[in-house]
Coordinates of all heavy atoms in Angstrom, one line a residue:
M1 N -6.3 -15.1 2.0 CA -5.6 -13.9 1.6 C -6.7 -12.9 1.0 O -7.7 -13.3 0.4 CB -4.6 -14.2 0.4 CG -3.4 -14.8 0.9 SD -2.4 -13.6 2.1 CE -1.4 -14.9 2.8
K2 N -6.5 -11.7 1.2 CA -7.5 -10.7 0.7 C -6.8 -9.7 -0.2 O -5.6 -9.4 0.0 CB -8.1 -9.9 2.0 CG -9.3 -9.0 1.6 CD -9.8 -8.4 2.9 CE -10.8 -7.3 2.6 NZ -12.0 -7.7 1.9
N3 N -7.5 -9.2 -1.2 CA -7.0 -8.3 -2.1 C -7.6 -7.0 -2.1 O -8.9 -6.9 -2.1 CB -7.3 -8.9 -3.6 CG -6.3 -8.9 -4.5 OD1 -5.7 -7.9 -4.7 ND2 -6.0 -10.1 -5.1
I4 N -6.9 -5.9 -1.9 CA -7.5 -4.6 -1.9 C -6.7 -3.6 -2.8 O -5.5 -3.9 -3.0 CB -7.7 -4.0 -0.5 CG1 -6.4 -3.9 0.1 CG2 -8.7 -4.7 0.3 CD1 -6.3 -2.6 1.0
S5 N -7.4 -2.6 -3.2 CA -6.7 -1.4 -3.8 C -6.8 -0.2 -3.0 O -7.9 0.0 -2.5 CB -7.3 -1.1 -5.2 OG -7.1 -2.2 -6.1
L6 N -5.7 0.5 -2.8 CA -5.8 1.8 -2.1 C -5.6 2.9 -3.1 O -4.7 2.7 -4.0 CB -4.7 1.9 -1.0 CG -4.8 0.9 0.2 CD1 -3.7 1.2 1.2 CD2 -6.2 1.1 0.9
N7 N -6.2 4.0 -2.9 CA -5.9 5.3 -3.7 C -4.8 5.9 -3.0 O -4.8 6.2 -1.8 CB -7.1 6.1 -3.7 CG -8.2 5.4 -4.6 OD1 -7.9 4.9 -5.6 ND2 -9.4 5.5 -4.0
I8 N -3.7 6.2 -3.7 CA -2.5 6.9 -3.1 C -2.4 8.2 -3.8 O -2.3 8.3 -5.0 CB -1.3 6.1 -3.3 CG1 -1.5 4.6 -3.1 CG2 -0.1 6.6 -2.6 CD1 -1.4 4.1 -1.6
S9 N -2.2 9.3 -2.9 CA -1.8 10.6 -3.6 C -0.6 11.1 -3.1 O -0.2 10.7 -1.9 CB -3.0 11.6 -3.6 OG -3.3 11.8 -2.2
G10 N 0.2 11.9 -3.8 CA 1.4 12.4 -3.3 C 2.7 11.8 -4.0 O 3.7 12.3 -3.8
M11 N 2.5 10.8 -4.8 CA 3.6 10.2 -5.5 C 3.9 11.0 -6.7 O 3.0 11.3 -7.6 CB 3.3 8.8 -5.9 CG 3.0 7.8 -4.7 SD 2.9 6.1 -5.3 CE 1.4 6.1 -6.3
T12 N 5.2 11.3 -6.9 CA 5.6 12.1 -8.1 C 6.5 11.3 -9.0 O 6.8 11.8 -10.1 CB 6.3 13.4 -7.7 OG1 7.3 13.0 -6.8 CG2 5.2 14.3 -6.8
C13 N 7.1 10.3 -8.6 CA 8.0 9.6 -9.5 C 8.2 8.1 -9.1 O 7.5 7.7 -8.1 CB 9.4 10.2 -9.4 SG 10.2 9.9 -7.8
Q14 N 8.9 7.4 -9.9 CA 9.0 5.8 -9.6 C 9.6 5.6 -8.2 O 9.4 4.6 -7.6 CB 9.7 5.2 -10.7 CG 9.0 5.0 -12.0 CD 7.8 4.2 -11.8 OE1 7.6 3.3 -11.0 NE2 6.8 4.3 -12.8
G15 N 10.5 6.6 -7.8 CA 11.1 6.5 -6.5 C 10.0 6.5 -5.4 O 10.1 5.6 -4.4
C16 N 9.0 7.3 -5.5 CA 7.9 7.4 -4.6 C 7.2 6.0 -4.6 O 6.8 5.5 -3.6 CB 7.0 8.5 -4.9 SG 7.6 10.1 -4.8
A17 N 6.9 5.6 -5.8 CA 6.1 4.3 -6.0 C 6.9 3.2 -5.4 O 6.3 2.3 -4.6 CB 5.9 4.0 -7.5
K18 N 8.3 3.1 -5.5 CA 9.0 2.0 -4.8 C 8.9 2.2 -3.3 O 9.0 1.2 -2.6 CB 10.4 2.1 -5.3 CG 10.6 1.5 -6.7 CD 12.1 1.4 -7.0 CE 12.2 0.9 -8.4 NZ 13.3 1.5 -9.2
T19 N 8.9 3.5 -2.8 CA 8.9 3.7 -1.4 C 7.5 3.1 -0.9 O 7.5 2.4 0.2 CB 9.0 5.2 -1.0 OG1 10.2 5.6 -1.5 CG2 8.8 5.4 0.5
V20 N 6.4 3.3 -1.6 CA 5.2 2.8 -1.1 C 5.2 1.3 -1.1 O 4.7 0.7 -0.2 CB 4.0 3.4 -2.0 CG1 2.7 2.8 -1.7 CG2 4.0 4.9 -1.8
V21 N 5.7 0.7 -2.2 CA 5.8 -0.8 -2.3 C 6.6 -1.2 -1.0 O 6.2 -2.2 -0.4 CB 6.4 -1.2 -3.5 CG1 6.8 -2.8 -3.4 CG2 5.5 -1.0 -4.7
R22 N 7.6 -0.6 -0.7 CA 8.5 -1.0 0.4 C 7.8 -1.0 1.7 O 7.9 -1.9 2.5 CB 9.9 -0.2 0.4 CG 11.0 -0.9 1.1 CD 12.3 -0.1 1.1 NE 12.1 1.2 1.7 CZ 12.3 2.3 1.1 NH1 12.8 2.3 -0.2 NH2 12.2 3.4 1.7
V23 N 7.2 0.2 2.0 CA 6.5 0.2 3.3 C 5.3 -0.6 3.5 O 5.1 -1.2 4.5 CB 6.1 1.8 3.7 CG1 7.2 2.7 3.7 CG2 5.0 2.2 2.8
L24 N 4.7 -0.9 2.3 CA 3.6 -1.9 2.4 C 4.0 -3.3 2.6 O 3.5 -4.0 3.4 CB 2.7 -1.8 1.1 CG 1.8 -0.6 1.0 CD1 1.2 -0.5 -0.4 CD2 0.7 -0.6 2.0
E25 N 5.1 -3.6 1.9 CA 5.6 -5.0 2.0 C 6.2 -5.3 3.4 O 6.5 -6.4 3.8 CB 6.5 -5.4 0.8 CG 5.7 -5.5 -0.4 CD 6.4 -6.1 -1.7 OE1 7.7 -5.9 -1.6 OE2 5.9 -6.6 -2.6
A26 N 6.6 -4.1 4.1 CA 7.2 -4.2 5.5 C 6.1 -4.6 6.5 O 6.5 -5.0 7.6 CB 8.0 -3.0 5.7
V27 N 4.9 -4.4 6.1 CA 3.8 -4.6 7.1 C 3.7 -6.0 7.2 O 3.6 -6.8 6.3 CB 2.5 -4.0 6.7 CG1 1.3 -4.4 7.6 CG2 2.6 -2.4 6.5
N28 N 3.6 -6.5 8.5 CA 3.4 -7.9 8.8 C 2.0 -8.4 8.3 O 1.0 -7.9 8.4 CB 3.3 -8.2 10.4 CG 4.5 -8.9 10.9 OD1 5.2 -9.6 10.1 ND2 4.8 -8.7 12.2
G29 N 2.2 -9.5 7.4 CA 0.9 -10.0 6.8 C 0.7 -9.6 5.4 O -0.3 -10.2 4.7
V30 N 1.5 -8.7 4.9 CA 1.4 -8.4 3.4 C 2.1 -9.3 2.6 O 3.3 -9.5 2.9 CB 1.9 -6.9 3.2 CG1 1.9 -6.7 1.7 CG2 0.9 -5.9 3.9
Q31 N 1.5 -10.0 1.7 CA 2.1 -10.9 0.9 C 2.7 -10.2 -0.4 O 3.9 -10.6 -0.7 CB 1.1 -12.0 0.4 CG 1.8 -13.1 -0.5 CD 0.7 -14.1 -0.9 OE1 -0.2 -13.7 -1.7 NE2 0.7 -15.2 -0.3
S32 N 2.1 -9.3 -0.9 CA 2.6 -8.5 -2.1 C 1.9 -7.2 -2.2 O 0.8 -7.0 -1.8 CB 2.5 -9.3 -3.3 OG 1.2 -9.5 -3.7
A33 N 2.7 -6.2 -2.8 CA 2.1 -4.9 -3.0 C 2.6 -4.4 -4.4 O 3.8 -4.7 -4.7 CB 2.5 -3.9 -2.0
A34 N 1.8 -4.0 -5.2 CA 2.1 -3.4 -6.5 C 1.6 -2.0 -6.6 O 0.4 -1.8 -6.3 CB 1.6 -4.3 -7.6
V35 N 2.4 -1.0 -7.1 CA 1.9 0.3 -7.2 C 1.8 0.8 -8.7 O 2.8 0.5 -9.4 CB 2.8 1.3 -6.3 CG1 2.5 2.7 -6.6 CG2 2.6 1.0 -4.9
D36 N 0.7 1.4 -9.0 CA 0.6 1.9 -10.3 C 0.7 3.5 -10.1 O -0.3 4.1 -9.7 CB -0.7 1.5 -11.0 CG -0.9 2.0 -12.4 OD1 -0.3 3.1 -12.7 OD2 -1.5 1.3 -13.2
L37 N 1.8 4.1 -10.6 CA 2.1 5.5 -10.3 C 1.1 6.3 -11.1 O 0.5 7.2 -10.5 CB 3.5 5.8 -10.8 CG 4.0 7.3 -10.7 CD1 4.0 7.8 -9.2 CD2 5.4 7.4 -11.3
A38 N 0.9 6.0 -12.3 CA 0.0 6.8 -13.1 C -1.5 6.8 -12.6 O -2.2 7.8 -12.6 CB 0.0 6.4 -14.6
A39 N -1.9 5.6 -12.2 CA -3.2 5.5 -11.6 C -3.4 5.9 -10.2 O -4.5 5.8 -9.7 CB -3.6 4.0 -11.9
E40 N -2.3 6.1 -9.6 CA -2.2 6.5 -8.1 C -2.9 5.4 -7.3 O -3.8 5.7 -6.5 CB -2.8 7.9 -7.9 CG -2.1 9.0 -8.6 CD -2.5 10.3 -8.2 OE1 -3.8 10.7 -8.3 OE2 -1.7 11.1 -7.7
R41 N -2.5 4.2 -7.6 CA -3.2 3.1 -6.9 C -2.2 2.1 -6.4 O -1.1 1.8 -7.1 CB -4.2 2.4 -7.8 CG -5.1 1.5 -7.3 CD -6.1 0.9 -8.3 NE -5.3 -0.1 -9.1 CZ -5.2 -0.1 -10.4 NH1 -5.9 0.8 -11.1 NH2 -4.5 -1.0 -11.1
A42 N -2.5 1.4 -5.3 CA -1.7 0.3 -4.8 C -2.6 -0.9 -4.7 O -3.7 -0.8 -4.1 CB -1.1 0.6 -3.5
D43 N -2.2 -2.0 -5.3 CA -2.9 -3.2 -5.2 C -2.1 -4.1 -4.2 O -0.9 -4.4 -4.3 CB -3.0 -4.0 -6.5 CG -3.9 -3.2 -7.5 OD1 -4.9 -2.7 -7.1 OD2 -3.4 -2.9 -8.6
I44 N -2.9 -4.6 -3.2 CA -2.2 -5.2 -2.1 C -2.9 -6.6 -1.8 O -4.1 -6.7 -1.7 CB -2.3 -4.4 -0.8 CG1 -1.7 -3.0 -1.1 CG2 -1.5 -5.0 0.4 CD1 -2.3 -1.9 -0.2
V45 N -2.1 -7.6 -1.6 CA -2.6 -8.9 -1.1 C -2.0 -9.1 0.3 O -0.9 -9.0 0.6 CB -2.0 -10.1 -2.1 CG1 -2.5 -11.4 -1.6 CG2 -2.5 -9.8 -3.5
F46 N -3.1 -9.4 1.2 CA -2.6 -9.5 2.6 C -3.4 -10.5 3.3 O -4.5 -10.9 2.9 CB -2.7 -8.1 3.3 CG -4.1 -7.6 3.5 CD1 -4.7 -7.7 4.7 CD2 -4.7 -6.9 2.4 CE1 -6.0 -7.3 4.8 CE2 -6.0 -6.4 2.6 CZ -6.7 -6.6 3.8
D47 N -2.9 -10.9 4.4 CA -3.6 -11.9 5.4 C -4.4 -11.2 6.4 O -3.8 -10.5 7.2 CB -2.4 -12.8 6.0 CG -3.1 -13.8 6.9 OD1 -4.3 -13.9 7.1 OD2 -2.3 -14.7 7.4
E48 N -5.7 -11.3 6.3 CA -6.6 -10.6 7.2 C -6.4 -11.0 8.7 O -6.8 -10.3 9.5 CB -8.1 -11.0 6.9 CG -8.6 -10.3 5.5 CD -9.9 -10.9 5.2 OE1 -10.0 -12.0 4.8 OE2 -10.9 -10.1 5.4
A49 N -5.8 -12.1 8.9 CA -5.5 -12.6 10.3 C -4.4 -11.8 10.9 O -4.3 -11.7 12.1 CB -5.2 -14.0 10.4
Q50 N -3.6 -11.1 10.1 CA -2.5 -10.5 10.6 C -2.4 -8.9 10.4 O -1.7 -8.2 11.1 CB -1.2 -10.9 9.8 CG -0.8 -12.4 10.1 CD 0.5 -12.8 9.5 OE1 1.6 -12.3 9.9 NE2 0.4 -13.7 8.5
T51 N -3.3 -8.4 9.5 CA -3.2 -7.0 9.3 C -4.6 -6.6 8.8 O -5.5 -7.4 8.6 CB -2.1 -6.5 8.5 OG1 -2.0 -5.1 8.5 CG2 -2.2 -6.9 7.1
N52 N -4.8 -5.3 8.6 CA -6.1 -4.8 8.1 C -5.8 -3.5 7.3 O -4.8 -2.9 7.3 CB -7.1 -4.6 9.2 CG -6.6 -3.6 10.3 OD1 -6.3 -2.5 10.0 ND2 -6.5 -4.1 11.6
V53 N -7.0 -3.0 6.8 CA -6.9 -1.9 5.8 C -6.3 -0.6 6.6 O -5.5 0.1 6.0 CB -8.2 -1.6 5.2 CG1 -8.2 -0.3 4.3 CG2 -8.7 -2.7 4.3
S54 N -6.7 -0.4 7.8 CA -6.3 0.8 8.5 C -4.8 0.8 8.7 O -4.1 1.9 8.7 CB -7.1 1.2 9.7 OG -7.0 0.2 10.6
V55 N -4.3 -0.4 9.0 CA -2.9 -0.5 9.2 C -2.1 -0.1 8.0 O -1.0 0.5 7.9 CB -2.5 -1.9 9.7 CG1 -0.9 -2.2 9.7 CG2 -3.0 -2.1 11.2
L56 N -2.6 -0.6 6.8 CA -2.0 -0.4 5.5 C -2.1 1.1 5.2 O -1.0 1.7 4.8 CB -2.7 -1.3 4.5 CG -2.7 -2.8 4.7 CD1 -3.5 -3.5 3.7 CD2 -1.2 -3.3 4.7
V57 N -3.2 1.7 5.4 CA -3.3 3.1 5.2 C -2.4 3.9 6.0 O -1.6 4.8 5.5 CB -4.8 3.6 5.4 CG1 -4.9 5.1 5.4 CG2 -5.7 3.0 4.3
N58 N -2.3 3.5 7.3 CA -1.3 4.2 8.2 C 0.1 4.1 7.7 O 0.9 5.1 7.8 CB -1.5 3.7 9.7 CG -2.7 4.3 10.3 OD1 -3.2 5.4 9.9 ND2 -3.1 3.6 11.3
A59 N 0.5 2.9 7.2 CA 1.9 2.7 6.8 C 2.3 3.6 5.7 O 3.3 4.2 5.6 CB 2.1 1.2 6.4
V60 N 1.3 3.8 4.7 CA 1.5 4.6 3.6 C 1.6 6.1 4.1 O 2.4 6.9 3.7 CB 0.4 4.5 2.5 CG1 0.5 5.5 1.4 CG2 0.4 3.1 2.0
E61 N 0.7 6.5 5.0 CA 0.7 7.9 5.5 C 1.9 8.2 6.3 O 2.5 9.3 6.2 CB -0.6 8.2 6.2 CG -1.8 8.2 5.3 CD -3.1 8.5 5.8 OE1 -3.3 8.4 7.1 OE2 -3.9 9.0 5.0
D62 N 2.4 7.2 7.0 CA 3.6 7.4 7.8 C 4.8 7.7 6.9 O 5.8 8.4 7.3 CB 4.0 6.2 8.7 CG 3.1 6.2 9.9 OD1 2.4 7.2 10.2 OD2 3.1 5.2 10.6
A63 N 4.8 7.2 5.6 CA 5.8 7.4 4.6 C 5.7 8.8 3.9 O 6.5 9.1 3.1 CB 5.9 6.2 3.6
G64 N 4.6 9.5 4.2 CA 4.5 10.8 3.6 C 3.5 11.0 2.5 O 3.4 12.0 1.8
F65 N 2.7 9.9 2.3 CA 1.7 10.0 1.2 C 0.4 10.0 1.8 O 0.2 9.6 2.9 CB 2.0 8.8 0.2 CG 3.4 8.8 -0.3 CD1 4.3 8.0 0.3 CD2 3.8 9.5 -1.4 CE1 5.6 7.9 -0.2 CE2 5.1 9.6 -1.9 CZ 6.0 8.7 -1.2
D66 N -0.7 10.3 0.9 CA -2.1 10.1 1.4 C -2.6 8.8 0.8 O -2.4 8.5 -0.4 CB -2.9 11.3 1.0 CG -2.5 12.6 1.8 OD1 -2.4 12.4 3.0 OD2 -2.5 13.6 1.2
A67 N -3.3 8.1 1.6 CA -3.9 6.8 1.2 C -5.4 6.8 1.6 O -5.7 7.3 2.8 CB -3.2 5.7 1.8
S68 N -6.2 6.3 0.8 CA -7.6 5.9 1.2 C -8.0 4.6 0.5 O -7.6 4.3 -0.6 CB -8.5 7.1 0.8 OG -8.5 7.3 -0.6
A69 N -9.0 4.0 1.2 CA -9.5 2.7 0.8 C -10.6 2.9 -0.3 O -11.2 3.9 -0.3 CB -10.0 1.9 1.9
Ligands
LIG101 CU1 9.3 10.4 -6.1

């Protein structure tokens, strides 16, 4: 398992934070995702054999937020 943090922008409330958690946890290979709204950060634990950082960034961007590693 690999641990990464993404910078997320565009979140304005806890609803946004929950959406980001949901889309990240829906990605195959993601074990867990935690979002800190104030810090604009997502901490993600994932299986490198099943997914990668660019898939995670795309999942967040598809949900309408900006993400960068
Ligand atoms: Cu919101």
Side-chain angles (χ1 to χ4, degrees):
M1 289 293 163
K2 189 173 166 66
N3 224 308
I4 58 148
S5 293
L6 296 181
N7 297 311
I8 313 282
S9 59
M11 297 188 296
T12 55
C13 68
Q14 287 297 339
C16 297
K18 281 184 183 146
T19 299
V20 172
V21 168
R22 198 177 61 237
V23 299
L24 285 169
E25 289 187 338
V27 174
N28 251 341
V30 171
Q31 185 180 70
S32 66
V35 171
D36 186 326
L37 177 62
E40 298 192 303
R41 195 183 69 233
D43 294 312
I44 306 153
V45 180
F46 67 99
D47 181 353
E48 287 173 287
Q50 292 185 69
T51 190
N52 58 58
V53 173
S54 63
V55 170
L56 300 173
V57 166
N58 283 338
V60 173
E61 292 189 336
D62 284 350
F65 305 95
D66 286 321
S68 61

